Amino acid sequence: MKRLAAISVIGIIAVAVTLKVTNAVPESTPAYKVNSAHERASSHSEIVVNVNESWQKLPESPSKKAALSSQILNRYNDSKDLRAFVIYAMQHPELGGTYYAAHALSQCKSVTADGKYFKQVQTPYSANKNNSDYTSISKSADILRAQCANFLASELSDSRIAEVKSEGVQKKDPLLLAERNFLEKINSPGNNKEEQRQNRKSALTQLLATQDPMVIEDIGPRIALQVDPDTGARGYKFNDHFYPLASDTDVGLAIYLLPCGLGLNCNSTEFDVASRCASGVECSDSRMDYVKSMLKEKPGAYEKVIKVYEEMINAIARENVSSFL
């Protein structure tokens, strides 16, 4: 059931973005403001996350520039109605707006496909849940309803989502182009290992230049997933160290946390956290808390994950492509 149980073994499955919004969303139309507990200065000089009034000071991110999409990201972080957000974002493809619009549509499609959060106005009470669990589940379901309930069914169709992406490519949305370039380059076989390495280097250069949490979210483990040339084992290559998928340092979970360090609001209202809670899997105060809970039976594992996470955040902020080669 747990989506991240799979993450801990094979890394995060990147969110597929094959997206499109309907004719009801204007063509010139297309989740989270970095809240006060997670404000990211435009210089990336410091990132602070407050996890349920607990620890979490994320590493300094000495980026040379703010993310191109920061204006869109702030609106996304703040959005309580994602349809209104999509309409706004589609007007700004030059800032990555169509990329974010497609992502928001995909998210709402994922929770409205079977109508499980929208068949009733109120979350039904379950006898096997205590009052605290019920309150958390109900609150999360309400968040998802508010974010997604205003879309027409046609606006969440695969064809419309694909149309939005196509429009974004035509208008040279930099995030869509960076993602497409990355996927094309890493899937290019190359004539030899050096050519493959150069393809990967080129793809990562454009990807890291975006400094965008949603792009990193969607690319997921592919940012570091490689095959060990000596053993043929699959795993994560980072800072010249190879972590097999079965490593005690779960790099997949570290990658799952990366968007939080790049400005995505990762508290209990974040889409991934809220949908997991609303579906009754597990309610957490944040992605960080969820990962910590997952690893609580493995002494030292959480600290190892956070160490890799911090190193990756700094590598991305510095656009240090060599760290991922």
Side-chain angles (χ1 to χ4, degrees):
M1 273 289 290
K2 286 192 180 182
R3 177 161 53 162
L4 284 186
I7 294 172
S8 65
V9 178
I10 60 172
I12 320 151
I13 304 300
V15 179
V17 187
T18 47
L19 311 168
K20 250 183 162 198
V21 215
T22 91
N23 297 331
V25 177
E27 282 193 341
S28 55
T29 319
Y32 324 123
K33 180 175 182 181
V34 184
N35 60 19
S36 59
H38 193 182
E39 289 271 352
R40 178 163 146 250
S42 61
S43 65
H44 286 226
S45 62
E46 185 175 60
I47 302 172
V48 178
V49 174
N50 183 345
V51 178
N52 195 27
E53 299 181 356
S54 61
W55 67 286
Q56 253 22 322
K57 179 171 180 180
L58 299 187
E60 291 188 353
S61 298
S63 174
K64 299 186 296 292
K65 61 186 183 225
L68 176 67
S69 62
S70 57
Q71 177 180 327
I72 302 295
L73 173 62
N74 288 345
R75 290 286 289 255
Y76 179 75
N77 278 336
D78 249 357
S79 291
K80 295 179 173 57
D81 176 356
L82 285 178
R83 188 176 190 272
F85 166 76
V86 166
I87 292 172
Y88 167 81
M90 285 292 286
Q91 297 169 0
H92 299 283
E94 75 286 356
L95 300 178
T98 47
Y99 188 96
Y100 270 77
H103 193 89
L105 291 167
S106 180
Q107 287 179 322
C108 284
K109 184 179 188 300
S110 73
V111 298
T112 59
D114 61 3
K116 59 185 174 183
Y117 302 131
F118 301 95
K119 288 177 180 176
Q120 61 279 319
V121 176
Q122 186 174 0
T123 303
Y125 181 77
S126 174
N128 64 351
K129 301 288 184 184
N130 62 39
N131 288 337
S132 176
D133 288 340
Y134 171 76
T135 300
S136 296
I137 291 171
S138 181
K139 181 179 179 181
S140 294
D142 288 344
I143 288 169
L144 296 176
R145 289 189 192 104
Q147 288 182 331
C148 298
N150 289 332
F151 285 111
L152 302 177
S154 57
E155 292 175 326
L156 300 178
S157 67
D158 289 338
S159 60
R160 179 54 185 164
I161 289 170
E163 193 175 281
V164 169
K165 290 194 71 178
S166 177
E167 180 179 329
V169 169
Q170 291 173 11
K171 294 184 177 180
K172 301 190 183 309
D173 181 309
L175 302 186
L176 282 170
L177 295 179
E179 182 186 64
R180 185 175 69 170
N181 177 66
F182 179 86
L183 296 176
E184 287 177 350
K185 287 291 177 69
I186 65 168
N187 290 325
S188 176
N191 295 321
N192 52 57
K193 289 182 179 179
E194 180 56 28
E195 185 175 347
Q196 292 173 12
R197 186 178 186 278
Q198 289 303 317
N199 283 342
R200 185 173 180 81
K201 181 178 180 180
S202 172
L204 283 167
T205 297
Q206 186 173 352
L207 187 77
L208 298 191
T210 68
Q211 297 286 298
D212 188 79
M214 205 63 77
V215 172
I216 298 300
E217 170 94 326
D218 287 349
I219 292 299
R222 285 172 289 190
I223 192 174
L225 190 63
Q226 297 190 48
V227 175
D228 186 342
D230 297 324
T231 66
R234 287 170 62 80
Y236 300 103
K237 180 82 176 292
F238 179 67
N239 278 346
D240 294 322
H241 186 83
F242 187 79
Y243 300 88
L245 290 179
S247 170
D248 62 346
T249 301
D250 195 328
V251 179
L253 287 175
I255 293 172
Y256 169 67
L257 297 176
L258 289 181
C260 311
L262 294 172
L264 182 67
N265 170 24
C266 289
N267 67 16
S268 60
T269 66
E270 188 258 325
F271 196 91
D272 182 83
V273 179
S275 59
R276 189 186 310 110
C277 181
S279 63
V281 174
E282 181 170 337
C283 295
S284 307
D285 291 320
S286 67
R287 288 195 184 195
M288 293 282 184
D289 273 2
Y290 179 63
V291 171
K292 192 171 187 178
S293 175
M294 279 188 65
L295 301 175
K296 64 185 177 183
E297 302 299 329
K298 299 170 65 176
Y302 179 68
E303 288 73 21
K304 289 179 180 179
V305 167
I306 292 300
K307 184 176 184 295
V308 174
Y309 156 76
E310 290 175 344
E311 291 173 351
M312 284 187 168
I313 281 292
N314 278 298
I316 292 170
R318 292 186 175 92
E319 299 179 34
N320 189 355
V321 173
S322 63
S323 290
F324 296 93
L325 293 178

